[in-house]
Amino acid sequence: MILKQILRLSSIFRSAASTHLRRNIGLSAIVFNKAKELDPVQKLFLDKIREYNTKSKQAGAPVDAGPEFQKEMNESLARLQRAYGGGDLTKFPEFKFE
């Protein structure tokens, strides 16, 4: 009888302890990832993305796009306007539900 109660309490204790340890390990992993320095390749990748973002905001258009890109884009827009009946294809459509 006493042995059954001890085993039952030990299983409850084990499950509570394992849950507690899992949570602590999960939280410490998040803190560790934020605290460590980025991998050099990741840092380079993020720097290039940030650089492209600032260039695209300054230019207001695709970065480093030549005249042939603009010509292809205009041709594609004209082809899509013919196929789908015109309208401004550079804006997101507005939907009206009744």
Side-chain angles (χ1 to χ4, degrees), residues 37-91:
E37 185 63 31
L38 289 176
D39 182 30
V41 175
Q42 289 175 334
K43 186 172 177 2
L44 181 66
F45 181 72
L46 288 176
D47 289 344
K48 287 296 181 180
I49 288 176
R50 289 181 184 129
E51 178 186 339
Y52 183 84
N53 188 23
T54 57
K55 282 183 179 180
S56 66
K57 284 182 181 177
Q58 289 173 353
V63 178
D64 299 333
E68 56 274 346
F69 172 79
Q70 191 63 34
K71 180 182 174 189
E72 286 182 31
M73 186 171 148
N74 290 338
E75 289 174 358
S76 298
L77 285 175
R79 193 170 50 245
L80 288 171
Q81 283 178 337
R82 281 193 306 269
Y84 294 108
D88 188 9
L89 298 177
T90 59
K91 290 181 10 182

Side-chain angles (χ1 to χ4, degrees), residues 9-22:
L9 286 176
S10 68
S11 68
I12 292 171
F13 178 72
R14 264 187 278 142
S15 67
S18 69
T19 303
H20 185 69
L21 283 174
R22 256 187 281 133

Side-chain angles (χ1 to χ4, degrees), residues 2-42:
I2 295 174
L3 184 61
K4 285 183 181 180
Q5 288 179 348
I6 291 173
L7 289 175
R8 188 178 319 136
L9 286 176
S10 68
S11 68
I12 292 171
F13 178 72
R14 264 187 278 142
S15 67
S18 69
T19 303
H20 185 69
L21 283 174
R22 256 187 281 133
R23 288 181 183 163
N24 283 341
I25 290 172
L27 288 176
S28 62
I30 292 170
V31 170
F32 178 70
N33 282 338
K34 287 186 179 183
K36 73 175 186 177
E37 185 63 31
L38 289 176
D39 182 30
V41 175
Q42 289 175 334

